Amino acid sequence: MMRTTESDVIDRRQRELAFLRQHIHTTTSEMARAFDVSLMTINRDLHMFIKKGLVLHDYGEVVWIGESMPSSQINQERAQNLEQTLTAIAGNLGRVLISTSPLTEKLTYELADLGCHVMTNQLVTTQRESDQSNRVPVLTGGQLNRFDDWLSFYGNTAVQSIKHFGADLALIYATGLSDRLLTTNTLYESVIARTMLENAQKTIIFLADNAEGYETNSMIVKRERLGRVQVIS
């Protein structure tokens, strides 16, 4: 029997959330059949969704009450200001991690032009030919997932790549920051963001529009653990 990995669990739970959003009203038996797992496994996953206020579960009946996937956008004026701020902070550092975001592709090449060695979990394309290897971003690799308008890598390969990169700085995108939690839209992104935060010497969090005072679906860390982290709204 094959061992279930953390990546497998995250992938299943993310697919369960998509299933629940689509069907609104279902049962634990239907979910167990759809995902080819036991009722015990479904009930364990639902317990996490209930704690987040996404579903109601009563006598095998499951009802989706969470809102639709919130937007992960940054308006044009904020984007320009954030790009300038983040480039100024990161430009004199050697090794920089950047999570998936609306700014990632542009930041990747701006920082590379300044001499930074950049790794990202976002699938970005090489924009031009260059003899300077640091102008070509290092991609974590891994399994691909669509995150809003972008494709991003996740899973064990991505996590291990981040851990071994030796980052001086992590630039992490978050879609929610409440009094309790720092959050992202998906489980995939929360794991990547947490790994970046834990494996960089310094971390800067930059936020989506309207992220302040809001919790999205998946926790990166509890707010109380952000003492050493700079948050830019």
Side-chain angles (χ1 to χ4, degrees):
M1 183 176 178
M2 290 185 63
R3 178 175 172 271
T4 301
T5 66
E6 181 187 30
S7 179
D8 294 331
V9 173
I10 291 169
D11 186 60
R12 183 188 68 244
R13 288 177 175 171
Q14 197 62 51
R15 289 185 291 115
E16 286 169 353
L17 286 171
F19 180 92
L20 289 163
R21 282 192 189 94
Q22 179 182 357
H23 290 82
I24 306 298
H25 186 195
T26 186
T27 68
T28 51
S29 296
E30 288 172 348
M31 290 185 68
R33 284 195 296 271
F35 295 97
D36 193 25
V37 295
S38 68
L39 283 172
M40 183 181 296
T41 296
I42 290 296
N43 284 321
R44 186 167 57 240
D45 291 349
L46 287 174
H47 179 68
M48 186 182 74
F49 301 156
I50 291 166
K51 287 173 65 177
K52 294 178 179 293
L54 300 175
V55 300
L56 295 175
H57 177 209
D58 189 32
Y59 293 102
E61 300 288 318
V62 185
V63 180
W64 172 260
I65 59 171
E67 55 192 306
S68 59
M69 184 79 75
S71 172
S72 301
Q73 300 304 314
I74 298 176
N75 70 57
Q76 187 172 0
E77 183 178 355
R78 278 195 71 230
Q80 291 175 345
N81 291 335
L82 281 170
E83 285 165 10
Q84 292 173 2
T85 300
L86 295 173
T87 301
I89 293 171
N92 63 345
L93 296 173
R95 303 174 74 82
V96 181
L97 289 164
I98 311 177
S99 70
T100 303
S101 81
L103 308 184
T104 296
E105 187 153 5
K106 191 166 184 181
L107 279 173
T108 294
Y109 287 100
E110 287 178 352
L111 293 177
D113 282 342
L114 293 173
C116 296
H117 189 44
V118 181
M119 173 181 277
T120 178
N121 71 308
Q122 184 169 321
L123 181 60
V124 297
T125 56
T126 302
Q127 295 184 332
R128 57 190 178 274
E129 294 291 330
S130 174
D131 293 329
Q132 299 181 43
S133 60
N134 66 328
R135 287 191 177 181
V136 181
V138 178
L139 307 183
T140 62
Q143 297 162 265
L144 270 176
N145 170 61
R146 182 166 291 282
F147 175 65
D148 253 17
D149 296 327
W150 319 284
L151 288 171
S152 61
F153 294 107
Y154 71 99
N156 190 59
T157 298
V159 166
Q160 293 304 317
S161 297
I162 292 165
K163 286 182 176 180
H164 288 93
F165 184 64
D168 299 304
L169 174 69
L171 301 178
I172 297 173
Y173 184 52
T175 51
L177 179 66
S178 71
D179 291 336
R180 302 186 317 125
L181 304 172
L182 178 70
T183 53
T184 63
N185 283 348
T186 72
L187 289 168
Y188 304 130
E189 286 301 308
S190 68
V191 172
I192 292 296
R194 189 160 53 247
T195 305
M196 288 184 174
L197 191 153
E198 292 172 349
N199 289 275
Q201 292 185 29
K202 180 180 179 181
T203 298
I204 293 176
I205 306 291
F206 60 105
L207 302 176
D209 293 345
N210 306 313
E212 283 276 8
Y214 187 69
E215 288 182 18
T216 44
N217 291 340
S218 302
M219 180 179 74
I220 301 175
V221 292
K222 293 182 178 179
R223 182 72 179 254
E224 64 201 40
R225 293 190 60 198
L226 293 179
R228 64 183 183 86
V229 174
Q230 181 179 355
V231 178
I232 300 177
S233 58

